[in-house]
Amino acid sequence: MAESYNGYCVKCREKRDFEGEVHETNGRRMAKGKCPVCGTTVTRILGKADA
């Protein structure tokens, strides 16, 4: 289920809202999706409070 997150797009050099899914790697949760402007993969590390 895709949710809306806010993350930093490295290519656009701006914070953007993106639709993404939660992935877990090495015990860390992150939201991963595509930038709506340029299509680059955007990630955001999620804290324990977002659980």
Side-chain angles (χ1 to χ4, degrees), residues 11-12 23-24 38-39 41-42 45-46:
K11 192 171 183 181
C12 295
H23 296 275
E24 188 167 336
C38 66
T41 301
V42 179
I45 304 288
L46 301 175

Side-chain angles (χ1 to χ4, degrees), residues 15-30:
K15 283 195 170 189
R16 304 250 186 230
D17 291 328
F18 66 96
E19 298 289 323
E21 296 183 3
V22 176
H23 296 275
E24 188 167 336
T25 305
N26 295 333
R28 294 186 181 200
R29 296 177 61 237
M30 78 167 73

Side-chain angles (χ1 to χ4, degrees), residues 4-8 14-18 31 42-44 46:
S4 181
Y5 297 99
N6 189 318
Y8 183 77
E14 290 188 26
K15 283 195 170 189
R16 304 250 186 230
D17 291 328
F18 66 96
V42 179
T43 58
R44 175 172 179 127
L46 301 175

